[in-house]
Amino acid sequence: MSKTSHIHFVSTGLCLILGLVLPDPSLAETTRYYDSQGRSAGSSRESLDGSRTRHYDSHGRNIGSTRRDLDGRTRTYDESGRLTGTSRPNSRGGSDYYNARGQREGYSRPNSRGGYNYYDASGRLTGSSRANSRGGQDFYDASGRHQGSSRR
C-alpha cells in the first residue's frame, strides 16, 4: 500500500490523512491593497494558520514574505529571501519594529478607531490606520491624509 493511498482531498478544501482533518495549505486568505485613488497597489496571501504571508505588487510579482513565530515575533524578508526586519508584540498592545541589524525603528499602539497609530523610534507619529467596512484597514499619514486601504 502506498503512502498516497491514505491522502484524500475533499471538495471543502480540507485534507484527510488517516482520519485526521487538516487544512489544505493551498488555501489562504488574500488581502488586497489600494492607493488613495483606489488603484491596485498589491496583495498578500496568508496561510490558514497565519504563520506565513507572501506579498505581491500590483502585477502579481512576489515582493517579499513574512513568517510569524509562535511567540508572535514576525520576520520580514525581501523577494530574494533576505531578512529585512522583525517585529514583536509590545506591552501596549501593538508591536515594536526593528531593521535587519536589530535596531529599533518604531512601534505601534492600538487606537480607538479599530486600528493602530505608528511612531518612529523617537516617538513621533508617522501614520495611523483604522478599520473599514470592507474587512480591512484605511491608512493615513501623520497629517491625517488618506494614503490607501486594504480589503479582505
Side-chain angles (χ1 to χ4, degrees):
M1 179 191 283
S2 72
K3 291 181 184 178
T4 57
S5 66
H6 293 286
I7 300 174
H8 306 282
F9 286 94
V10 294
S11 62
T12 61
L14 299 176
C15 179
L16 182 65
I17 301 174
L18 300 174
L20 299 174
V21 177
L22 302 171
D24 180 346
S26 66
L27 296 179
E29 183 165 0
T30 299
T31 300
R32 302 195 186 290
Y33 299 94
Y34 301 88
D35 67 15
S36 62
Q37 308 301 306
R39 296 176 297 233
S40 176
S43 63
S44 62
R45 283 186 65 83
E46 182 176 348
S47 62
L48 285 179
D49 65 2
S51 66
R52 295 179 321 272
T53 304
R54 294 207 183 271
H55 307 282
Y56 304 92
D57 67 13
S58 61
H59 301 289
R61 294 179 296 236
N62 179 25
I63 58 172
S65 63
T66 56
R67 294 191 183 269
R68 185 178 327 273
D69 295 339
L70 293 175
D71 65 359
R73 180 175 296 185
T74 300
R75 289 175 175 76
T76 304
Y77 302 89
D78 67 13
E79 68 279 2
S80 298
R82 292 181 297 258
L83 180 69
T84 60
T86 61
S87 67
R88 66 175 183 222
N90 62 34
S91 62
R92 298 174 297 276
S95 293
D96 291 326
Y97 303 101
Y98 300 87
N99 63 26
R101 295 181 306 279
Q103 299 163 319
R104 186 170 183 242
E105 291 195 330
Y107 62 94
S108 64
R109 290 184 178 166
N111 60 36
S112 61
R113 298 177 308 264
Y116 292 89
N117 291 334
Y118 300 95
Y119 302 89
D120 65 17
S122 298
R124 292 182 296 260
L125 180 69
T126 59
S128 64
S129 66
R130 70 176 172 199
N132 63 35
S133 62
R134 296 171 302 280
Q137 296 278 309
D138 289 325
F139 303 100
Y140 301 88
D141 66 15
S143 298
R145 291 183 297 262
H146 186 252
Q147 298 298 302
S149 61
S150 67
R151 299 178 193 159
R152 291 191 178 243

